[in-house]
Amino acid sequence: MRTFVYILLLVFVVPKVSAMGQYNVMVSHNYPPYHFYNSEGEMVGFNIDIINAINNIYDDRIKISVGNWEEIVQSLNSGEIQAVAGVHYPGTSDEKFFYTRSVISTSHCFFYNSDIHSKLSVEKIRTEQRPKIVIWENDVLEHYMLTLNPNTTFIFVNSYDELFKALKQPDVTCAIAQKIGGKYYIKQNGFDFVESLNEVFLERNMGFKVSSDFPELAEILNNGLEIIMANGSYQDIYDKWIKEYDEPPHNWRYYLKDILVWGCIISLVIGILLFFNRLLKKQIRQKTKHLQHQLEINNIIRQELEIAKVRAEVSDQMKSAFLANMSHEIRTPMNGILGFSELLKSAEYGSEEQEYYISLIQKSGSRMLSTINNIIDISKIESGAEKLILKEVDLTKMIDEIYEFFKVEANEKGIQLLMEKGECENPCVIKSDEYKLHSILTNLLKNAIKFTYNGSVTISYSISNSFAKFAIKDTGIGINKDKQDVIFNQFVRADISYSSEFEGSGLGLSISKEYVKMLGGIIWLESEPEKGSIFYIDIPCRQLDAKQEELEVKMQN
Ligand code: ADP
């Protein structure tokens, strides 16, 4: 874009003035960094480079000459020169002269001795009782200073050297000078103790003052400036001579207060944020803990509900199983009792038949009694009403009785009922709940005979390692592996297909298991279908003395 503008300017602007003659432009001899003699005695500076750049475009139409202000004024009035460079616009119109577009803007600022004043500000100068200011002689800013602070006193100087050296006096507040010129001088002379304030005043434009008789020269200068600004040469010249003096001072002390204030504000904000962060973290921790606790409670409730649900389902299944079993187990003997008693009413049966019917009625009655007993036992266990009643039990006596009781039934079925007594002292006595132990052994023996077609049923017992050990072995139908655990559950029968063949409520084993548990023992089985089963029971022998035993019996009652 810049290149495009540059080409346009060269094409349309330069030809308009190319036919004209040469011009003389004068500069003052000592105005660094704008125009001044360097150590080699050459005239150099910002304005010199600007004129040279314009000369490059307009084939060296401008000749530069040097003089002091008096010579410049004289030459201009005599027509010896046609223009002056580095002139500040007066602000009033002048028929005799043109002023070109601004070449650069200049301003003034305060300079102070940073070794004496740690930090100076316009505010301080304005409020100081009697500020002492170093200023160029005849400088218009003297009035400005008096408007700023009417008590200002001045030290007037005629050179930068005097100006900056005066700052070494301890009672001097500061100096006023042109910003770029002053800073240039400070750098060139190594006056490191001098600092400048950021605030600038008396901003003015500097350019060329051209005699009104030579409008074409004004045109060359104006157009030339436009072209060098477009093609980048102006920027290069600015960067070379002015840039570093036009930037705000990098004095960290100047910003110290601001740094401190902002540092405090930022620290305070960070502090507040950290405080709230901590507070929030604490609240989040508490909330998380609360939620975790709530979650744990919910989990427990969920688990309990799950258990309750399973229980309800099991209970429902049990209810169905109970109804199915009970209706069969009560109806069958009941029908037997009613049917055979009806037959007994009739006179057409002889005494032998009548006796047979009576025995069937008795059998049905005892089957019903057994079912009712089972229901009572299981409901007592379920409700927790079943208690232990411990007393001395003579095992030999108990097993003998059971053996005698079932011997008839086994013989009737053509099964051999055997009894084996293992290691046991005489009398073979343990402390246990006689009713429950009797009930367990009866249930197991009854099952063994019930589920055996031929062969034998053996009941064996012994005492070893403080345990009374029982085993009821049969050569019956056996139990499938997958049913061996579940048969201990209420109302469960290994095979429903034989329900009509083998009477039973499915409660015997579950009652036995609960009783064994109450006695502190264990029950398990080994079984093989078609070969038979062995049910094992281990019951701990309790070592109670007479008093303890009495007490326990009392408590349990
Ligand atoms: P039931 O009144 O049906 O005998 P139990 O709880 O005493 O109820 O027994 C549950 C089931 O276990 C029986 O129905 C039977 O299938 C099986 N069972 C128990 N004892 C034996 C055994 N000695 N031989 C084969 N199966 C048996």
Side-chain angles (χ1 to χ4, degrees):
M1 184 65 192
R2 219 162 105 164
T3 324
F4 179 67
V5 173
Y6 174 60
I7 292 165
L8 279 181
L9 290 168
L10 280 177
V11 172
F12 295 104
V13 178
V14 176
K16 282 173 74 180
V17 291
S18 61
M20 297 163 195
Q22 199 163 39
Y23 303 100
N24 284 324
V25 174
M26 213 167 183
V27 292
S28 64
H29 67 286
N30 187 21
Y31 193 14
Y34 302 107
H35 29 82
F36 60 99
Y37 284 111
N38 67 11
S39 51
E40 274 98 50
E42 296 161 347
M43 177 51 61
V44 292
F46 173 77
N47 281 333
I48 305 298
D49 282 1
I50 292 286
I51 295 168
N52 287 336
I54 295 171
N55 266 338
N56 278 344
I57 301 162
Y58 288 102
D59 301 328
D60 294 326
R61 290 278 178 73
I62 301 165
K63 193 168 158 273
I64 303 169
S65 53
V66 185
N68 59 30
W69 273 110
E70 274 171 32
E71 289 165 343
I72 289 171
V73 173
Q74 215 178 352
S75 305
L76 198 60
N77 289 337
S78 67
E80 200 179 314
I81 59 166
Q82 290 78 48
V84 187
V87 176
H88 287 112
Y89 304 158
T92 51
S93 60
D94 188 342
E95 281 183 3
K96 287 166 118 184
F97 301 102
F98 294 121
Y99 289 93
T100 63
R101 60 183 298 164
S102 171
V103 178
I104 193 158
S105 164
T106 66
S107 60
H108 282 62
C109 70
F110 291 107
F111 293 91
Y112 64 98
N113 187 337
S114 60
D115 293 342
I116 297 171
H117 305 281
S118 63
K119 186 184 170 187
L120 193 75
S121 65
V122 177
E123 189 60 18
K124 202 173 166 202
I125 300 166
R126 199 174 60 79
T127 52
E128 208 173 41
Q129 214 176 9
R130 236 177 143 66
K132 199 173 206 179
I133 310 288
V134 189
I135 195 166
W136 284 80
E137 211 168 82
N138 300 324
D139 198 325
V140 284
L141 286 170
E142 185 185 335
H143 301 288
Y144 166 75
M145 272 318 300
L146 288 170
T147 56
L148 192 71
N149 187 335
N151 298 322
T152 307
T153 56
F154 297 98
I155 297 175
F156 298 103
V157 294
N158 285 305
S159 69
Y160 275 122
D161 197 53
E162 280 180 63
L163 185 114
F164 292 122
K165 278 181 180 161
L167 286 179
K168 288 183 179 171
Q169 297 172 31
D171 58 336
V172 166
T173 312
C174 60
I176 296 178
Q178 218 211 50
K179 187 175 91 174
I180 292 166
K183 284 187 178 182
Y184 178 83
Y185 196 86
I186 290 166
K187 182 157 186 223
Q188 296 309 310
N189 293 281
F191 289 157
D192 295 337
F193 63 93
V194 184
E195 295 287 348
S196 62
L197 290 190
N198 260 352
E199 289 83 357
V200 294
F201 42 92
L202 196 63
E203 267 187 284
R204 293 180 297 173
N205 284 317
M206 184 199 266
F208 293 94
K209 184 178 177 180
V210 187
S211 169
S212 54
D213 298 333
F214 299 91
E216 59 285 4
L217 175 58
E219 202 173 348
I220 286 173
L221 291 169
N222 275 328
N223 291 341
L225 281 170
E226 191 155 349
I227 290 164
I228 62 169
M229 278 175 189
N231 70 12
S233 331
Y234 177 89
Q235 189 61 45
D236 293 342
I237 298 165
Y238 174 85
D239 290 350
K240 179 181 169 191
W241 294 104
I242 308 293
K243 192 177 173 223
E244 71 173 298
Y245 311 110
D246 209 10
E247 282 170 346
H250 302 292
N251 181 4
W252 67 269
R253 275 184 295 184
Y254 182 83
Y255 297 106
L256 188 63
K257 194 176 152 200
D258 294 342
I259 291 168
L260 281 176
V261 169
W262 280 107
C264 286
I265 292 171
I266 290 167
S267 309
L268 198 75
V269 170
I270 290 172
I272 291 170
L273 285 176
L274 283 175
F275 173 74
F276 278 111
N277 186 25
R278 248 179 98 171
L279 208 74
L280 277 175
K281 266 187 184 167
K282 201 175 158 191
Q283 279 178 357
I284 288 169
R285 261 206 306 274
Q286 278 173 351
K287 201 91 194 145
T288 314
K289 216 168 150 191
H290 180 74
L291 284 173
Q292 270 172 352
H293 184 64
Q294 202 64 41
L295 209 71
E296 276 165 21
I297 293 175
N298 285 351
N299 272 342
I300 292 169
I301 293 173
R302 201 172 50 77
Q303 280 167 6
E304 278 173 2
L305 284 174
E306 205 74 45
I307 293 166
K309 187 182 157 222
V310 172
R311 269 202 203 128
E313 280 168 5
V314 170
S315 156
D316 197 47
Q317 283 167 6
M318 276 169 54
K319 199 176 75 190
S320 311
F322 175 79
L323 286 174
N325 265 319
M326 288 311 118
S327 63
H328 178 255
E329 280 308 301
I330 291 172
R331 262 196 210 144
T332 313
M334 208 58 196
N335 284 339
I337 292 166
L338 293 174
F340 290 114
S341 49
E342 190 63 40
L343 288 178
L344 281 178
K345 276 197 217 161
S346 160
E348 60 186 83
Y349 299 107
S351 61
E352 213 173 285
E353 284 165 316
Q354 279 182 359
E355 248 177 65
Y356 175 64
Y357 292 151
I358 289 167
S359 76
L360 288 178
I361 290 169
Q362 278 177 334
K363 219 174 155 192
S364 297
S366 69
R367 182 174 169 185
M368 248 179 87
L369 186 65
S370 153
T371 304
I372 290 163
N373 279 341
N374 275 345
I375 293 168
I376 291 168
D377 285 349
I378 202 80
S379 52
K380 274 166 91 179
I381 290 167
E382 289 281 289
S383 65
E386 192 63 58
K387 303 283 182 203
L388 271 187
I389 301 169
L390 296 174
K391 58 181 181 181
E392 285 195 345
V393 183
D394 186 335
L395 290 185
T396 312
K397 198 168 155 236
M398 181 195 264
I399 305 282
D400 280 352
E401 275 171 19
I402 293 172
Y403 174 79
E404 287 304 325
F405 182 81
F406 283 103
K407 197 174 158 191
V408 188
E409 195 182 329
N411 285 345
E412 273 175 8
K413 238 187 137 180
I415 301 165
Q416 233 188 326
L417 184 62
L418 304 168
M419 184 174 60
E420 281 174 7
K421 185 181 174 188
E423 217 172 280
C424 186
E425 282 175 13
N426 215 355
C428 186
V429 176
I430 63 163
K431 279 169 188 166
S432 192
D433 187 314
E434 188 172 13
Y435 171 78
K436 291 185 179 61
L437 192 55
H438 190 274
S439 186
I440 295 163
L441 295 172
T442 310
N443 268 329
L444 296 179
L445 207 57
K446 212 194 303 177
N447 277 346
I449 296 169
K450 187 163 64 175
F451 295 107
T452 303
Y453 290 116
N454 46 50
S456 62
V457 170
T458 312
I459 177 164
S460 54
Y461 66 101
S462 65
I463 292 181
S464 74
N465 295 332
S466 308
F467 276 92
K469 294 171 178 279
F470 304 90
I472 289 94
K473 180 181 171 187
D474 66 57
T475 54
I477 60 170
I479 305 159
N480 266 327
K481 198 109 200 123
D482 61 324
K483 292 282 188 297
Q484 288 181 12
D485 279 338
V486 289
I487 53 166
F488 288 100
N489 294 343
Q490 291 169 19
F491 306 114
V492 174
R493 311 185 73 194
D495 190 347
I496 44 163
S497 65
Y498 57 58
S499 60
S500 51
E501 189 184 346
F502 301 107
E503 59 188 51
S505 56
L507 286 172
L509 281 183
S510 59
I511 293 169
S512 301
K513 192 183 171 188
E514 287 304 321
Y515 280 174
V516 169
K517 209 162 115 188
M518 286 177 82
L519 293 173
I522 47 168
I523 180 168
W524 75 101
L525 78 137
E526 284 168 7
S527 183
E528 214 178 306
E530 312 301 332
K531 286 202 171 158
S533 319
I534 312 174
F535 282 82
Y536 297 98
I537 306 150
D538 281 7
I539 306 278
C541 308
R542 293 168 184 254
Q543 300 296 323
L544 298 176
D545 61 28
K547 275 184 189 168
Q548 270 178 311
E549 181 187 326
E550 221 173 78
L551 190 72
E552 195 158 327
V553 172
K554 265 188 198 165
M555 277 170 68
Q556 282 162 355
N557 287 334

